[in-house]
C-alpha cells in the first residue's frame, strides 16, 4: 500500500502554489497564515477564497490528468489489448451473436464507453454496425447505416407493444422508410408487429431483399386480415433462405425456390398453410435441415380424405442433420406424408401431437408403425443410429386411452442434465388393434428396448376384444391397466408360456418387474371366484414354480391390485398363498 507524502512536503508545495497565485494576481491575496486577513475587507476575503478555489481546481485537474494517463497506460498493457484489432472485433461479433441467441439486448454504445481504444476500434469496424432496431432514433439508425458501409444488415423490428399504432405513426415512420430504402442489404429480418401494423409487416416482407437469409415474422393474432388469411405476402426474388419462421403471416408464393436449402423451418397458426406437396418439396431440397416445426394449420377444404397410396409415400427424404421436429394440430395428410418419407438422423427433441378425430387414421397408423418403423424408431431415439452411445433411458412409456395413444421417451446423455424428450401422440378408434401394432413394433426393434411401461385405460371395446399380451412379451417391463376386462385378461395370460425369438421357452413377458392392476370403474363390479381369485393365484404359482423345466419368472419389485373400494374376497382369501411367491404383492 502506498504511503502518503510527508507534511513538510505538503507545506512546501502549498507555499509554492500560494506564491504563484499572488504573482499571477499582482497582490498578496493569499497567505498560509489566515490570521493576516483578520482586518481585511469582505471583498478581499471573497477574492482570496476565489483564488484558492481556482488553485484547487487546477491542482485537481492536473492530478486527474496524471491518473487518467496512468490508467490508460495500464489498460493498454492489459492482455486483452495485446490482441490484434481483428481478434478483438471477432470477439465482439461473437458476443453480439450470443446475445441474439439468448434474446438479450446488445448495445454497442455501452462497449464504446469502456476506454478510448475500444471506442476507436468499434467506430472503425463496419461489421459491428449492422443492426437496425425499430426503437432506434432515426439519427442513430442513419449513423448505423453510414458506419456499416457495405456490410449486410440485420433488421430487428418489434412494435408488438405499440398495438394501438398504425404504420403511419411518426413513432416509427422514419425508421420504416430507412429500413425499406436499404432492404437490398438486409440479410437477417426479425419482425414482430402489433394489431394495427399489418401494412407495416407486409411492406417489410415484400421489400426487395436479394441478400436475405434469415426471415422470422410474426403478425398479431388480433389482426383480422392476417388471421383470416385475406392478407399474405409475396417473397421477393433472391437467393435461398437459411431460416424461415412465420406465425400468422402466410406466403402467397410457397413454390418460390427461395424456400429451399433451409436450416430451420418453423410455421405456426397459418390459415393458408403450404400444400403438402410444397412441404415435401421444401424438405427434399433442404438436406441440412436441423429444425422442423409445423403447428396449428387450418385444414384446407380442398384436400380430399387421405388414403394410403404410393403417390403420397414417394421416395425417402434424407435429413441426416435433423435435431428437432414438432408437428402439432395439423390436417392428417401432413403427419403421414411427412413421417412416411423423412429419414432423420439424430433427433433429440420430438413432439408429434395429432389431436382431433381419427375416423380415417387407423390404417395410416398401422402403416407408419409397420412399413416405416425405422423412421418411428429414430424419432423415439430407439434405433442404433439415433441413440447416443452414452445415452441413459430415463423412461419409455406407452399410454393407450380409448381414443388416443401417447408414447414418451426420456433420454439423458449426461449426468445432471435435463433429459431429452420424444413425444408422439395419435388419435385412433380401435384400441385393441393399435395396442397390438405398437407391441409388435417394440418387440421387433433391432436392439435391446429400454424399460418400457404400458398403461391401458379401460373401455367397452376390451369386452369384445380381449387384451393380448403376446405382442409385448419381448419388451414389457411395467404394466398398468384400469378396468375389469383388462385386469382379468392379464390374469389369464401371466401364467402362459412364451417362445422367444431365439427359441428359448419362457414365461410371457419375462422382463415384467412392475404390475399395477386397477379394477376402478363406476358402479359395483360383480366378483367372480374363478376369473378373479383363482386365475390370479394360478398365474402367480405357474410363473414362480419353475415347472416344465422353465426357470421361474422374474419376481416383480411391485405387484399391486386396486379393488375399487370392494372387498374382493376371492383375492384376499388367497393373499397368504401369493405373498411367499411374490413378496411385493399388495391389495388396496
Amino acid at each position: 500500500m502506498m504511503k502518503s507524502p510527508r507534511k513538510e512536503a505538503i507545506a512546501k508545495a502549498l507555499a509554492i502554489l500560494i506564491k504563484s497565485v499572488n504573482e499571477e494576481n499582482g497582490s498578496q491575496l493569499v497567505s498560509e497564515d489566515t490570521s493576516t486577513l483578520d482586518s481585511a475587507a469582505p471583498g478581499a476575503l471573497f477574492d482570496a477564497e476565489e483564488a484558492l478555489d481556482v488553485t484547487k481546481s487546477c491542482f485537481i485537474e492536473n492530478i486527474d490528468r496524471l491518473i487518467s494517463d496512468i490508467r490508460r497506460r495500464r489498460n493498454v498493457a492489459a492482455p486483452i489489448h495485446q490482441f490484434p484489432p481483428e481478434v478483438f472485433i471477432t470477439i465482439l461479433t461473437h458476443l453480439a451473436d450470443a446475445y441474439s441467441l439468448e434474446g438479450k439486448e446488445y448495445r454497442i454504445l455501452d462497449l464504446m464507453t469502456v476506454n478510448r481504444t475500444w471506442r476507436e476500434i468499434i467506430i472503425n469496424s463496419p461489421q459491428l454496425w449492422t443492426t437496425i432496431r425499430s426503437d432506434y432514433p432515426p439519427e442513430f439508425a442513419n449513423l448505423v447505416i453510414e458506419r456499416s458501409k457495405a456490410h449486410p444488415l440485420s433488421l430487428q423490428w418489434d412494435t408488438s407493444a405499440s398495438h394501438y399504432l398504425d404504420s403511419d405513426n411518426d413513432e416509427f415512420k422514419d425508421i420504416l422508410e430507412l429500413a425499406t430504402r436499404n432492404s437490398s442489404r438486409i440479410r437477417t429480418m426479425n419482425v414482430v408487429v402489433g394489431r394495427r401494423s399489418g401494412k407495416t409487416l407486409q411492406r417489410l416482407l415484400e421489400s426487395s431483399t436479394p441478400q436475405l437469409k434469415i426471415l422470422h415474422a410474426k403478425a398479431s393474432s388480433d389482426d383480422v386480415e392476417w388471421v383470416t388469411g385475406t392478407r399474405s405476402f409475396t417473397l421477393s426474388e433472391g437467393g435461398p433462405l437459411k431460416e424461415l419462421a412465420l406465425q400468422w403471416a402466410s406466403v402467397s408464393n410457397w413454390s418460390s425456390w427461395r424456400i429451399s436449402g433451409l436450416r430451420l423451418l418453423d410455421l405456426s397458426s397459418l390459415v393458408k398453410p403450404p400444400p403438402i406437396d410444397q412441404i415435401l418439396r421444401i424438405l427434399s431440397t433442404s438436406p441440412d435441415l436441423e429444425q422442423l416445426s409445423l403447428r396449428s394449420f387450418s385444414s384446407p377444404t380442398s384436400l380430399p380424405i387421405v388414403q394410403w397410396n404410393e403417390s403420397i409415400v414417394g421416395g425417402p427424404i434424407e435429413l441426416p442433420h435433423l435435431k428437432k421436429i414438432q408437428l402439432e394440430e395439423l390436417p392428417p395428410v401432413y403427419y403421414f406424408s411427412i413421417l412416411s418419407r423423412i429419414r432423420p438422423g439424430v433427433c433429440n427433441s420430438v413432439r408429434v401431437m395429432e389431436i382431433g378425430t381419427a375416423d380415417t387414421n387407423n390404417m395410416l397408423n398401422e402403416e407408419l408403425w409397420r412399413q416405416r418403423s425405422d423412421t418411428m424408431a429414430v424419432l423415439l431415439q430407439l434405433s442404433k443410429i439415433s441413440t447416443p452411445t452414452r445415452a441413459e433411458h430415463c423412461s419409455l412409456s406407452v399410454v393407450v386411452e380409448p381414443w388416443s395413444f401417447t408414447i414418451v421417451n426420456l433420454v439423458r446423455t449426461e449426468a445432471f442434465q435435463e433429459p431429452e424428450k420424444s413425444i408422439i401422440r395419435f388419435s385412433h378408434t380401435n384400441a385393441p388393434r393399435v395396442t397390438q401394432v405398437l407391441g409388435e413394433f417394440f418387440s421387433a426393434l433391432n436392439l435391446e428396448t429400454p424399460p418400457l411401461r404400458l398403461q391401458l385405460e379401460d373401455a367397452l371395446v376390451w369386452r369384445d376384444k380381449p387384451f393380448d399380451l403376446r405382442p409385448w412379451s419381448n419388451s414389457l417391463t411395467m404394466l398398468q391397466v384400469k378396468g375389469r376386462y383388462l385386469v382379468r385378461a392379464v390374469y389369464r395370460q401371466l401364467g402362459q408360456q412364451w417362445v422367444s425369438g431365439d427359441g428359448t421357452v419362457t414365461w410371457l413377458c419375462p422382463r415384467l418387474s412392475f404390475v399395477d392392476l386397477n379394477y376402478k370403474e363406476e358402479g359395483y363390479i360383480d366378483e367372480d371366484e374363478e376369473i378373479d381369485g383363482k386365475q390370479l393365484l394360478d398365474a402367480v404359482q405357474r410363473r414362480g414354480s419353475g415347472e416344465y423345466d422353465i426357470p421361474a419368472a422374474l419376481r416383480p419389485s411391485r405387484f399391486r391390485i386396486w379393488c375399487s373400494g370392494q372387498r374382493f374376497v376371492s383375492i384376499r382369501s388367497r393373499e397368504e398363498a401369493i405373498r411367499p411367491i411374490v413378496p411385493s404383492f399388495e391389495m388396496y
Side-chain angles (χ1 to χ4, degrees), residues 512-523:
L512 195 61
S513 62
F514 180 101
V515 182
D516 195 295
L517 310 176
N518 194 336
Y519 280 93
K520 185 176 182 180
E521 292 183 24
E522 293 184 4

Side-chain angles (χ1 to χ4, degrees), residues 371-383:
Q371 305 299 328
R372 312 294 166 179
S373 60
D374 52 345
T375 298
M376 305 311 290
V378 169
L379 294 180
L380 287 168
Q381 300 191 63
L382 294 174
S383 75

Side-chain angles (χ1 to χ4, degrees), residues 433-463:
R433 182 60 177 164
V434 164
T435 305
Q436 178 184 343
V437 170
L438 292 179
E440 293 171 353
F441 164 77
F442 285 108
S443 292
L445 290 176
N446 294 322
L447 76 165
E448 185 178 351
T449 307
L452 188 154
R453 177 177 69 92
L454 174 63
Q455 180 178 331
L456 299 177
E457 299 286 342
D458 203 355
L460 290 177
V461 66
W462 292 107
R463 178 179 58 185

